[in-house]
Amino acid sequence: MSERAVSFGAVAQSYERFRPGYPAELFGTVMSYAGRPVRTALEIGAGTGKATRLFARRGITVTATDPDAAMLAELRKHVPADVRTVRAAFEDLRPGERYGLVYAAASLHWTEPDRRWERMAALLEPGGVFASFGGAPHLADPAVEAAVRAMRAPFLDSDDIPSPDGTPPGHDMQWPGTELQRCEWFTGVRQAVVRRRLTMSPRDYVGHLSTVSAYLLLPPAEREEVFRRIRQGVGEQVELTADVTVHLARRRRER
């Protein structure tokens, strides 16, 4: 997992170009849960700033953190000038300033489980909000999905990231909500889904796959061959289900 976690910097520009941004509805979901104005936020694993701009452009002062210099360099091209960037992994962040919101956009699964929630709580104001959101786009047509799976099979068993705590896909509460429900530091755990559908060309779909860590670790020749097969085999237009699953929790107030 650690090798996959640090594989994105080499494709920072492609990540920015081909990864979808986040819908405005997501911001509304987080703020509705907060129930009060949020002035400061810390972002974990900001990447190229897809989520950074969602919050920073709506009046929140964001500190964006990421361990990869190339990803942060790309991020700075696309976010408001007042966004502060810090090159650091989550585990290397030191408690100091506390924030009204700490969030992770498709990045929490790369963090170390040991003391994860204790560290998270230390970054939040009492009563502050934690949010994790993301969800890999999936081919909407089951027949196309099966065809792509067959094309990929000689090179990869799967391009998914399994649930870190083994929660099955059909469970009512998904990870990290399952961990948060057992955590002494947080309360009010909630799961929500922002529905989203995407349409793209075969070339752009392969561009998206080129930013997925499972493919990044393939030998270059194998990666190009699987992309060639997929590009030729998905038809003229690619329909994706790209729902964003949101997990929210509140930092318990200190006694």
Side-chain angles (χ1 to χ4, degrees):
M1 273 295 192
S2 60
E3 188 178 5
R4 291 179 69 170
V6 296
S7 64
F8 301 104
V11 292
Q13 291 183 347
S14 293
Y15 195 104
E16 173 59 30
R17 178 181 175 186
F18 294 113
R19 288 280 181 120
Y22 290 97
E25 185 182 348
L26 172 61
F27 178 83
T29 298
V30 176
M31 292 303 107
S32 176
Y33 177 88
R36 64 182 186 183
V38 173
R39 295 179 176 83
T40 61
L42 177 74
E43 182 174 7
I44 298 164
T48 66
K50 295 288 186 177
T52 316
R53 62 202 80 171
L54 180 70
F55 291 92
R57 290 174 179 169
R58 288 167 172 80
I60 297 177
T61 300
V62 177
T63 298
T65 72
D66 197 279
D68 194 295
M71 297 292 269
L72 287 178
E74 187 66 27
L75 174 147
R76 293 187 193 101
K77 301 176 186 177
H78 307 286
V79 302
D82 63 349
V83 170
R84 184 166 72 100
T85 58
V86 177
R87 184 184 178 188
F90 168 63
E91 294 76 19
D92 296 328
L93 296 173
R94 294 292 175 258
E97 181 181 356
R98 289 189 172 188
Y99 301 85
L101 170 68
V102 175
Y103 67 92
S107 63
L108 190 69
H109 51 278
W110 300 125
T111 63
E112 294 291 337
D114 182 46
R115 297 179 59 215
R116 177 189 284 135
W117 301 114
E118 179 184 352
R119 293 176 188 275
M120 201 73 71
L123 297 167
L124 275 165
E125 301 169 353
V129 171
F130 168 74
S132 175
F133 45 86
H138 293 284
L139 291 156
D141 186 330
V144 177
E145 174 69 35
V148 168
R149 191 161 52 244
M151 297 172 205
R152 186 183 64 216
F155 310 95
L156 281 175
D157 291 333
S158 172
D159 58 7
D160 286 337
I161 296 172
S163 171
D165 68 351
T167 302
H171 197 273
D172 289 344
M173 178 63 73
Q174 289 295 302
W175 184 91
T178 46
E179 282 188 12
L180 283 161
Q181 287 178 324
R182 302 189 296 267
C183 174
E184 63 179 304
W185 299 98
F186 289 89
T187 187
V189 180
R190 187 179 303 172
Q191 177 175 287
V193 177
V194 177
R195 303 292 179 189
R196 182 172 61 168
R197 299 294 181 271
L198 302 174
T199 301
M200 60 183 64
S201 68
R203 184 175 296 277
D204 283 356
Y205 176 60
V206 168
H208 170 77
L209 294 181
S210 75
T211 71
V212 173
S213 58
Y215 295 98
L216 289 171
L217 298 189
L218 286 175
E222 293 186 11
R223 185 166 60 242
E224 290 308 311
E225 176 59 19
V226 70
F227 287 164
R228 183 190 67 78
R229 295 184 186 188
I230 292 172
R231 190 164 48 243
Q232 293 179 355
V234 292
E236 296 181 357
Q237 199 172 58
V238 182
E239 303 286 341
L240 297 172
T241 300
D243 296 342
V244 180
T245 301
V246 191
H247 289 95
L248 298 154
R250 197 176 303 279
R251 197 322 189 171
R252 291 186 184 274
R253 295 189 180 276
E254 295 168 342
R255 297 174 182 174

